[in-house]
Amino acid sequence: MFCDCCTGEEQDIADCVEGAPSALALMPTPMTAPVPPAAPVKRTLQLKKDASIEWGHTLGIAVVNTASGLVVAKLNNGIVENHNKTAAPEDRVYPGDRIVACSGAFDPDSMAKRLQEAVDQWTLDVESMPTLEVVIPKQDGAELGLSLSIRDSGALAVAAVKAFGLCVEYNNANRDALIKTGMRIVAVNDIRTTPEMVQEMKEGTTLRFLMREGVPLPPKFKPESPLTSPV
């Protein structure tokens, strides 16, 4: 079951982040050592109706119904993202987080119904999954060498790490913390919404990625049809 609690309709597109050949073939650029993945952490969040949002009740999340809880597939503009903007990093909600209780409901179907109710407050027990942090500095004209897949749900995933570019050079220097095909990108420079993450990857100079491995996604997706765009 896929539950969409977002405003607006889902989009099903693909993109490919490319640019000029990497300057690192001639002059290596130092990469920031990765932060090892943290153990899962469970916390309780109180989310309230927000008058600044249309209707005030839009949570702005899409979730995947699994046996062990609801997995956040995508963030959109809404109450959850407004919470993220002011919350401490450890209290933010990212794609891939698992909702294990919602306002007294514990089974996935009941939680999904609670998320869609027009109430004044939601109490969410959220479990964060292990996250890989990668920091990659970009030089003018350098290419990331990363193909992206944007699924029906809006989830942003690594479709391929190319044989050239900053990402493969990062992988060569960090064999114990690789960027892998299929990983979910959950944040870029503290940006968590998909279109803005893609834009930041094109325009940012130093890119701080948060990635997760093995996060379930809705099964339906469109095969990638890469486009070329400079970063």
Side-chain angles (χ1 to χ4, degrees), residues 4 15 49 63 196:
D4 180 14
D15 196 9
K49 177 180 175 180
V63 296
E196 288 75 18

Side-chain angles (χ1 to χ4, degrees), residues 52-93:
S52 68
I53 301 170
E54 186 178 5
W55 305 112
H57 298 100
T58 304
L59 285 172
I61 59 173
V63 296
V64 179
N65 190 329
T66 72
S68 57
L70 300 178
V71 175
V72 178
K74 182 184 73 168
L75 294 177
N76 206 343
N77 292 322
I79 292 171
V80 173
E81 185 55 21
N82 280 6
H83 159 84
N84 282 342
K85 291 175 182 178
T86 58
E90 62 272 16
D91 289 331
R92 293 171 186 162
V93 177

Side-chain angles (χ1 to χ4, degrees), residues 33-230:
V35 176
V41 175
K42 185 176 177 180
R43 71 270 192 202
T44 299
L45 305 178
Q46 301 287 342
L47 302 176
K48 296 182 179 181
K49 177 180 175 180
D50 192 333
S52 68
I53 301 170
E54 186 178 5
W55 305 112
H57 298 100
T58 304
L59 285 172
I61 59 173
V63 296
V64 179
N65 190 329
T66 72
S68 57
L70 300 178
V71 175
V72 178
K74 182 184 73 168
L75 294 177
N76 206 343
N77 292 322
I79 292 171
V80 173
E81 185 55 21
N82 280 6
H83 159 84
N84 282 342
K85 291 175 182 178
T86 58
E90 62 272 16
D91 289 331
R92 293 171 186 162
V93 177
Y94 292 99
D97 282 353
R98 193 179 305 275
I99 300 172
V100 295
C102 177
S103 301
F106 298 94
D107 67 277
D109 289 340
S110 297
M111 288 191 291
K113 291 178 181 177
R114 293 286 173 89
L115 289 175
Q116 297 181 78
E117 291 175 352
V119 296
D120 290 336
Q121 179 172 299
W122 297 262
T123 301
L124 303 183
D125 287 347
V126 180
E127 185 179 79
S128 62
M129 305 302 290
T131 301
L132 174 69
E133 179 178 333
V134 175
V135 180
I136 298 181
K138 284 176 59 183
Q139 297 177 343
D140 291 342
E143 180 181 341
L144 277 177
L146 196 65
S147 294
L148 305 178
S149 175
I150 304 180
R151 308 297 180 86
D152 288 22
S153 65
L156 183 61
V158 176
V161 179
K162 299 191 174 214
F164 53 87
L166 299 177
C167 289
V168 73
E169 290 170 3
Y170 164 86
N171 278 352
N172 290 338
N174 298 278
R175 305 302 296 178
D176 59 340
L178 298 175
I179 301 172
K180 302 175 185 177
T181 298
M183 276 186 161
R184 286 285 308 277
I185 300 174
V186 300
V188 181
N189 292 346
D190 286 331
I191 297 169
R192 292 162 294 275
T193 50
T194 295
E196 288 75 18
M197 285 195 289
V198 173
Q199 193 65 27
E200 184 69 11
M201 292 171 68
K202 295 176 181 178
E203 298 178 353
T205 51
T206 298
L207 299 177
R208 175 178 172 267
F209 293 92
L210 294 182
M211 300 185 181
R212 286 178 171 159
E213 189 172 7
V215 176
L217 293 168
K220 179 184 174 185
F221 69 96
K222 180 180 179 180
E224 65 172 329
S225 51
L227 305 175
T228 301
S229 54

